[in-house]
Amino acid sequence: MTQKKKIAIYPGSFDPLTNGHVDIIERALDIFDEVIIAVLHNPHKKALFTMEERIAMIRDSFNGEKAVQADSFGGLAVEYAKMKNAVAIIRGMRAVSDFESEFQMALMNRKLNKEVQSVFLMTGFRWIFTSSSIIKEAAMFGGDISGMVPETVKIKLMEKYAELKKQGK
């Protein structure tokens, strides 16, 4: 009998992808055969990068790694997981402050679909302070974000802020 491929989704805005995200994804690959990085389309959030730019940066960052896919979705993560035949939704947690909202979301997802598990992975200690918003702010003011994001993301952030500065934004 052939064993079913274990697929997990890792939903988020990834605006942009950070090395903290990469750490979670690499560790999730120790547990799952495939991880789909599912970029959420949230019309209520003002993203710095377009959906296409975020997906391209993710693909570039994983340089053709077959076990890592990048996709976009709108709506419920648990429904997207079902559509992709995923057995789990990966969530990264940096601190205790993340726990309450993540726990509530996991309980709701469990209520909506008992077949999809929520798997929490603690962010590696060196990434606890890292968030996309903090990195964007540092980059906007010319801070050195080397080592906090994949190199391709660093380049795109520098280009994006140079472009916005030129436009007077």
Side-chain angles (χ1 to χ4, degrees), residues 7 31 39 43 118 155-156 158:
I7 301 169
I31 304 167
V39 182
S118 292
I155 292 164
K156 294 293 183 189
M158 291 172 17

Side-chain angles (χ1 to χ4, degrees), residues 86-154:
V87 297
I89 296 172
I90 302 294
R91 299 301 297 162
M93 299 209 324
R94 290 179 298 236
V96 174
S97 58
D98 290 343
F99 181 77
E100 189 173 353
S101 63
E102 292 293 343
F103 184 68
Q104 288 176 334
M105 194 180 328
L107 289 174
M108 177 56 87
N109 286 340
R110 181 93 175 131
K111 178 81 173 152
L112 295 171
N113 187 338
K114 288 181 178 24
E115 293 176 21
V116 177
Q117 303 301 315
S118 292
V119 176
F120 299 101
L121 294 175
M122 293 305 301
T123 300
F125 186 71
R126 67 188 288 201
W127 309 117
I128 285 176
F129 70 92
T130 306
S131 73
S132 295
S133 55
I134 289 173
I135 288 171
K136 286 187 291 193
E137 189 169 340
M140 180 172 57
F141 292 109
D144 183 9
I145 57 167
S146 299
M148 293 183 222
V149 294
E151 188 63 23
T152 187
V153 174
K154 177 184 165 189

Side-chain angles (χ1 to χ4, degrees), residues 3-149:
Q3 188 175 358
K4 187 176 156 187
K5 194 175 191 182
K6 289 191 177 149
I7 301 169
I9 66 163
Y10 183 26
S13 59
F14 303 102
D15 186 40
L17 179 76
T18 71
N19 282 346
H21 295 131
V22 171
D23 175 60
I24 294 291
I25 294 159
E26 288 174 344
R27 288 189 295 122
L29 288 170
D30 289 337
I31 304 167
F32 300 97
D33 299 315
E34 183 179 324
V35 174
I36 301 170
I37 305 166
V39 182
L40 173 64
H41 172 68
N42 185 344
H44 302 295
K45 274 190 173 180
K46 174 82 173 102
L48 177 63
F49 292 100
T50 66
M51 183 69 66
E52 294 75 20
E53 288 171 324
R54 288 181 272 167
I55 289 172
M57 285 187 288
I58 291 166
R59 288 182 177 149
D60 288 348
S61 296
F62 285 93
N63 209 10
E65 166 64 50
K66 298 250 185 275
V68 176
Q69 304 297 317
D71 195 13
S72 63
F73 79 104
L76 297 172
V78 73
E79 290 299 318
Y80 177 78
K82 183 179 176 182
M83 183 179 80
K84 292 295 187 174
N85 297 313
V87 297
I89 296 172
I90 302 294
R91 299 301 297 162
M93 299 209 324
R94 290 179 298 236
V96 174
S97 58
D98 290 343
F99 181 77
E100 189 173 353
S101 63
E102 292 293 343
F103 184 68
Q104 288 176 334
M105 194 180 328
L107 289 174
M108 177 56 87
N109 286 340
R110 181 93 175 131
K111 178 81 173 152
L112 295 171
N113 187 338
K114 288 181 178 24
E115 293 176 21
V116 177
Q117 303 301 315
S118 292
V119 176
F120 299 101
L121 294 175
M122 293 305 301
T123 300
F125 186 71
R126 67 188 288 201
W127 309 117
I128 285 176
F129 70 92
T130 306
S131 73
S132 295
S133 55
I134 289 173
I135 288 171
K136 286 187 291 193
E137 189 169 340
M140 180 172 57
F141 292 109
D144 183 9
I145 57 167
S146 299
M148 293 183 222
V149 294

